[in-house]
Each structure stands twice: as structure tokens, then as C-alpha cells.
Amino acid sequence: RDVRMEDEGVYRCSTFVLKEPRDVKLTIIVPPPRPPIIIGDRRPRKEGRNLQLTCRSEGGRPLPTLAWYNGTRRYSKLTNTVTNIEENVLDVVEEELSVPYLEKWDNGANFSCVADQGLPDLLNPQSTSVILKVLYAPKVFVPRD
């Protein structure tokens, strides 16, 4: 049988074998319909400029928690989280990533946004990535003889 959101609730089970009926709570879990999207200017940037990207995930129950990663390391310099924006009927979560000063070492960085509902035994996190391109002037060193 298909399960619907209206099916969530407390159910009572009773049989002749059980002396007392038992209550069981049914919780409906719904994955987001698609991976998160990254919003923002993805064009190559010059060294010294800033970067602002927004990760957005729509739907899901419970709503996922969003996190930014630089490669495999969680990015900790996040500006803010906007949770539970209602847009038509879908709930939306957003997480902003702000890098105030790009360096040449940021060229090729893989920024990923991961949407995780916190249910590892039931649902795998969903992710979306963008590879950053930073334009920087070459440096030439001439050894002195």
C-alpha cells in the first residue's frame, strides 16, 4: 500500500495474546525530490575578489541540514542560514557561503553543498559541486648568480 503524509500518527495494536494494547508512532520520511542547487556567479574570478554562493534545497521531510565543503573538509566560514522559507507548498532551506578574499591557491577548489536529513540508515545525503576558477598573475623568480 502507498503511504501518504496523512498516515503519520500514533497507532494502537491489540490482540488477544497481548494483555495491554501497545501504541506505535509512524513517522513519514520524504527525501528531497532532487539534489541541492548552487546559486551565484560561477564565472572565473580574479585573485583578491570575493565569492558568494548560495546552496538551496527544496522539499523533504524532515528538512535537510545544509553544509558546505571545500574538498572533503567542512567549510566553517558560513555567513547565515535561512530555514523554512515557504514557497507555494514546498519548504526550502538555504545556506550561504562567503569567501571574502580569493587566493591563487583557491584555483581548482571543489566547493560542494551537502543536504543531509540525518537518517544515515534510510537516506544518503545528496550533494552538488562547483569547481572554482581563480585568475591570478604569474610570478617569475630569476635566481641570482
Side-chain angles (χ1 to χ4, degrees), residues 13-42:
C13 178
S14 62
T15 66
F16 294 113
V17 179
L18 292 174
K19 293 180 181 175
E20 300 209 13
R22 302 213 181 201
D23 290 343
V24 176
K25 182 178 180 192
L26 174 65
T27 302
I28 306 298
I29 307 296
V30 180
R34 60 189 123 333
I37 59 170
I38 296 175
I39 303 166
D41 186 358
R42 299 187 199 191

Side-chain angles (χ1 to χ4, degrees), residues 52-107:
Q52 290 208 306
L53 298 173
T54 301
C55 178
R56 178 183 175 111
S57 180
E58 299 177 352
R61 186 160 190 256
L63 283 173
T65 300
L66 301 178
W68 281 99
Y69 288 82
N70 183 350
T72 59
R73 298 179 74 178
R74 190 169 179 151
Y75 204 86
S76 60
K77 298 176 186 174
L78 300 176
T79 55
N80 64 2
T81 302
V82 179
T83 307
N84 222 0
I85 302 169
E86 192 160 317
E87 230 176 57
N88 297 331
V89 176
L90 278 180
D91 285 328
V92 175
V93 288
E94 291 183 343
E95 184 79 26
E96 287 186 20
L97 171 70
S98 179
V99 180
Y101 185 88
L102 292 171
E103 300 180 48
K104 70 178 185 176
W105 312 113
D106 293 318
N107 187 45

